[in-house]
Amino acid sequence: MTAFQRVVVLGSTGSIGESTLDVIARHPERLAVYALSAYSRMQRLAEQAEASGAAVVVVPDEAARRQFAAAWSGARPMPEIRVGAQALADTAADPQCDSVMAAIVGAAGLPAALAAARSGKRVLLANKEALVAAGSLFMQAIRDNGAELLPIDSEHNAIFQCMPTGGRALAPDAPAPGVRRLLLTASGGPFRGRDLEDLHDVTPAQACAHPNWSMGRKISVDSATMLNKGLEVIEAHWLFAMPAERIEVVVHPQSVVHSMVEYNDGSVLAQLGQPDMRTPIAYGLGFPERLESGVGPLDLTRLGRLDFEKPDLARFPCLALSFAALRAGQGACVALNAANEVAVEAFLAGRLPYTWIARVIEASLEWQARQGSVTLGSLDDVLALDAATRAYAGNLGLA
Ligand code: NAD
Ligand code: MG
């Protein structure tokens, strides 16, 4: 890795994007922003581009281009504005950049994340949906093109940090020697102690009020249903080449232990820290060195205790559906993710009751299973199944 990195931040106006820019700004001697992208909030994108000195911004359409230009203050020359999904993928592969933070939400981020992998970049992967939808393709692209993959999701970053030093491969194709199991911690979200029947009328604001983490709305709802943990089990399966039966979810309400690796000799290594995404982001940007992230020390005596419990699959059907999808195969994983995106969007828009998110996913998985086996050998294959599932889920009459 070159000492000085020029970084593309895909999804810069989001929660992960903002935290990434915060860490980059702390290290002008070794990190610079090359390009930023956003789907909405052009005013904020213009402020970010001005503060970071980005050379390029990528926006979704011509209307956004005009909004960006109108929002530009004129204090500096305006960055080059690129438009559309192809420009997004091209920018992720741009020879002018070294590292790509993939922080777009949803499968919409897959083509650009894959383009970064195919062009041999250091890929900082926050966009877990990309891996859920196209794990095999994505990991192969990392390996084939000499790219580096650093997991940013806090659990996977923790596991990466706890892996044996020699086995800390950036895209392994077999489980690390000596590792027995991965223990993924889950906060349990805002509805941890509640019965499923009580949750029918919960509002988007209640579902998005995460007890420990401040995040985008989609992942906040996913945390409430624990579908997020299901996506993370699938993500861990691909990142660490680990079979489903060697990945265990442990509910840990304080979100201080970010995850653990259990070894054959009975040792369990854990990574701890405050629940602040700047820690895994700084780890990914600095790897193998450690960078100051702006995150303060962990005061364990003030915390006093750490609790752990088993997840209740009956109260969190989305977690059970995720394990089922992982066992069923890649087509099911694409369907799981796409159906969830449709359902969560409908829930956030007030069109779907909270408890029906799991129903939409379950029906979509059954639909996908009826399609028989699918070939998912290319990005187009994955995107076609993703689109077909969205159409099915959207027509269920629920969403
Ligand atoms: P967010 O909603 O706050 O931000 C999403 C970003 O993606 C925004 O910049 C938005 O403009 C852009 N975007 C949205 N739709 C797009 C589209 N169709 N095309 C192009 N760009 C689009 O989300 P977030 O919380 O920052 O999460 C981003 C990703 O990181 C998600 O995959 C999430 O699961 C993952 N992640 C987030 C956290 C967290 O703490 N927020 C932690 C772990 C993993
Ligand atoms: Mg996570």
Side-chain angles (χ1 to χ4, degrees):
M1 192 81 234
T2 46
F4 191 84
Q5 292 176 65
R6 278 175 304 177
V7 186
V8 171
V9 185
L10 303 173
S12 66
T13 53
S15 163
I16 295 286
E18 292 278 8
S19 293
T20 304
L21 292 177
D22 180 282
V23 175
I24 291 174
R26 292 168 192 274
H27 301 281
E29 74 297 343
R30 59 183 291 163
L31 298 169
V33 170
Y34 171 63
L36 301 175
S37 94
Y39 199 64
S40 57
R41 301 179 61 217
M42 291 299 124
Q43 177 72 43
R44 183 69 194 130
L45 182 64
E47 289 161 8
Q48 291 181 331
E50 188 170 329
S52 65
V56 173
V57 294
V58 191
V59 305
D61 51 32
E62 288 301 328
R65 180 207 284 274
R66 287 192 295 277
Q67 285 164 18
F68 181 89
W72 190 252
S73 75
R76 287 175 186 253
M78 202 186 308
E80 178 189 341
I81 307 175
R82 298 179 187 168
V83 178
Q86 186 58 49
L88 202 57
D90 293 346
T91 303
D94 194 317
Q96 298 287 319
C97 84
D98 309 292
S99 303
V100 175
M101 166 57 82
I104 288 172
V105 58
L110 170 59
L114 194 60
R118 287 183 172 154
S119 52
K121 306 295 185 197
R122 167 172 288 198
V123 186
L124 309 176
L125 189 72
N127 180 204
K128 65 191 83 182
E129 297 92 344
L131 212 46
V132 170
S136 160
L137 266 181
F138 187 83
M139 296 306 287
Q140 199 58 45
I142 295 279
R143 286 191 284 268
D144 288 350
N145 298 284
E148 287 184 301
L149 179 56
L150 277 309
I152 298 303
D153 211 347
S154 58
E155 296 76 4
H156 308 76
N157 188 268
I159 290 169
F160 187 83
Q161 293 195 41
C162 297
M163 278 290 174
T165 326
R168 202 175 281 154
L170 296 168
D173 53 12
V179 171
R180 189 190 286 157
R181 288 189 309 164
L182 306 180
L183 307 176
L184 274 182
T185 52
S187 69
F191 307 137
R192 182 169 54 90
R194 303 263 300 264
D195 282 334
L196 196 57
E197 301 83 69
D198 294 347
L199 297 178
H200 194 67
D201 297 324
V202 301
T203 63
Q206 289 169 316
C208 289
H210 196 281
N212 306 332
W213 299 91
S214 151
M215 310 179 285
R217 280 162 68 80
K218 190 259 177 186
I219 184 177
S220 296
V221 177
D222 288 352
S223 299
T225 61
M226 286 191 80
L227 190 277
N228 180 52
K229 208 50 54 182
L231 298 180
E232 291 184 355
V233 168
I234 301 170
E235 186 184 12
H237 163 74
W238 288 113
L239 284 172
F240 305 108
M242 195 57 79
E245 60 276 12
R246 286 166 65 187
I247 305 173
E248 183 150 324
V249 174
V250 182
V251 174
H252 165 48
Q254 292 92 353
S255 298
V256 165
V257 176
H258 295 316
S259 278
M260 297 168 265
V261 175
E262 183 185 281
Y263 285 84
N264 287 343
D265 62 4
S267 297
V268 177
L269 301 193
Q271 186 261 356
L272 283 69
Q274 289 192 28
D276 186 323
M277 290 305 292
R278 289 177 301 175
T279 296
I281 290 167
Y283 184 88
L285 287 167
F287 182 80
E289 288 163 41
R290 296 276 180 172
L291 301 183
E292 169 62 46
S293 66
V295 178
L298 180 65
D299 187 347
L300 282 171
T301 53
R302 207 163 67 95
L303 270 162
R305 55 186 274 182
L306 299 174
D307 297 297
F308 300 94
E309 56 196 58
K310 261 190 181 317
D312 182 342
L313 294 185
R315 283 197 294 117
F316 292 98
C318 288
L319 187 54
L321 290 169
S322 305
F323 273 107
L326 180 52
R327 278 190 292 268
Q330 281 194 58
C333 292
V334 173
L336 173 89
N337 179 66
N340 179 58
E341 288 193 32
V342 169
V344 170
E345 197 184 322
F347 167 66
L348 286 172
R351 288 185 278 114
L352 188 77
Y354 176 81
T355 45
W356 289 18
I357 295 173
R359 292 200 207 176
V360 171
I361 297 171
E362 189 170 17
S364 302
L365 285 174
E366 285 164 7
W367 166 82
Q368 195 278 326
R370 288 197 298 274
Q371 309 299 298
S373 75
V374 281
T375 313
L376 295 172
S378 70
L379 175 61
D380 284 346
D381 292 343
V382 172
L383 296 180
L385 179 56
D386 175 87
T389 309
R390 281 168 202 268
Y392 177 81
N395 282 331
L396 275 173
L398 304 169

